Amino acid sequence: MTNQLDVLQALRQTRHDWLNVMQLIKGNLALKRYDRIEEIIHQVTQQSICESKISEIQAPSVVYFLLTYNWFSNNIKLELDVAGEVFSLENKEVQLLRLCEEITEKLTNDCTIDTENNLLITFLFTEEYCEVTFDFQGALQKKVDWQRFKLERESIVNLVEWNEQECVLVARFARS
């Protein structure tokens, strides 16, 4: 029964998301803002392509987390980007899921709720590795101890940038 309820919830949320897109198109059509309509269609197309690519990493718990994150979180809007030739991250699934959950949780706990907060997670696939970049833009209340976080993660995470409006972390997973 739970599986059926999960499917129904996914269909309900997807329908809601598509209705929002249609409302944006309809509103811009009424305003004769055709350039904005093209931009909306381009954004939705790119998002769909990224969601399709991320679904190929063969790490279902990670894919589920990433694709449903915005359904359950109101503090941070998560966006995805995928570049390169996707390969399996099946053997890194647990580690990658934990990393995604912990970073999003730390950022959610540290961000202000009166500001628009965005997290772009980029998967860059190369011949040797998959580099995952967490690029947060918004407002942070305090500095998270990312050095300790990094040590706890066996140094796979590097802090690239941090200030009150931005936090960029990069993790690298070798191709197996």
Side-chain angles (χ1 to χ4, degrees):
M1 183 71 157
T2 303
N3 195 25
Q4 289 176 341
L5 292 175
D6 290 344
V7 170
L8 291 174
Q9 173 62 23
L11 290 171
R12 185 178 309 120
Q13 188 62 46
T14 301
R15 183 173 46 252
H16 175 78
D17 292 346
W18 277 108
L19 285 173
N20 285 344
V21 170
M22 297 313 289
Q23 289 289 11
L24 282 171
I25 291 172
K26 186 177 175 184
N28 282 288
L29 189 58
L31 295 171
K32 297 182 178 169
R33 294 182 62 198
Y34 304 115
D35 57 331
R36 179 67 181 124
I37 294 169
E38 283 186 41
E39 185 180 318
I40 292 167
I41 292 170
H42 176 74
Q43 288 172 343
V44 170
T45 302
Q46 287 305 114
Q47 178 184 349
S48 295
I49 290 169
C50 285
E51 289 175 0
S52 177
K53 282 184 170 184
I54 203 68
S55 296
E56 297 173 15
I57 67 171
Q58 299 176 7
S61 62
V62 175
V63 174
Y64 176 82
F65 177 81
L66 295 172
L67 296 184
T68 63
Y69 181 85
N70 290 325
W71 299 358
F72 305 110
S73 175
N74 295 324
N75 294 349
I76 296 176
K77 181 181 182 219
L78 188 142
E79 296 180 46
L80 291 172
D81 192 17
V82 181
E85 203 59 41
V86 176
F87 56 79
S88 173
L89 294 173
E90 181 178 18
N91 62 344
K92 309 283 192 228
E93 181 174 12
V94 172
Q95 188 179 24
L96 181 56
L97 176 63
R98 188 175 313 125
L99 185 67
C100 290
E101 288 174 337
E102 290 175 352
I103 288 175
T104 55
E105 181 180 346
K106 285 185 179 300
L107 290 170
T108 297
N109 292 338
D110 194 35
C111 72
T112 60
I113 58 172
D114 58 344
T115 307
E116 185 176 322
N117 299 298
N118 297 294
L119 176 60
L120 172 63
I121 301 178
T122 303
F123 287 76
L124 172 62
F125 289 88
T126 70
E127 290 291 324
E128 298 87 31
Y129 57 83
C130 173
E131 185 175 271
V132 183
T133 303
F134 299 83
D135 186 352
F136 173 85
Q137 303 287 320
L140 296 168
Q141 299 172 13
K142 60 183 177 184
K143 187 171 184 175
V144 174
D145 187 359
W146 291 110
Q147 295 305 326
R148 180 172 163 224
F149 181 82
K150 179 181 172 181
L151 289 173
E152 293 170 356
R153 301 309 157 292
E154 301 167 2
S155 300
I156 66 160
V157 177
N158 289 311
L159 178 63
V160 176
E161 177 79 28
W162 185 90
N163 59 50
E164 288 78 20
Q165 291 82 35
E166 180 178 24
C167 181
V168 179
L169 299 154
V170 177
R172 193 174 277 188
F173 298 91
R175 187 175 194 160
S176 349

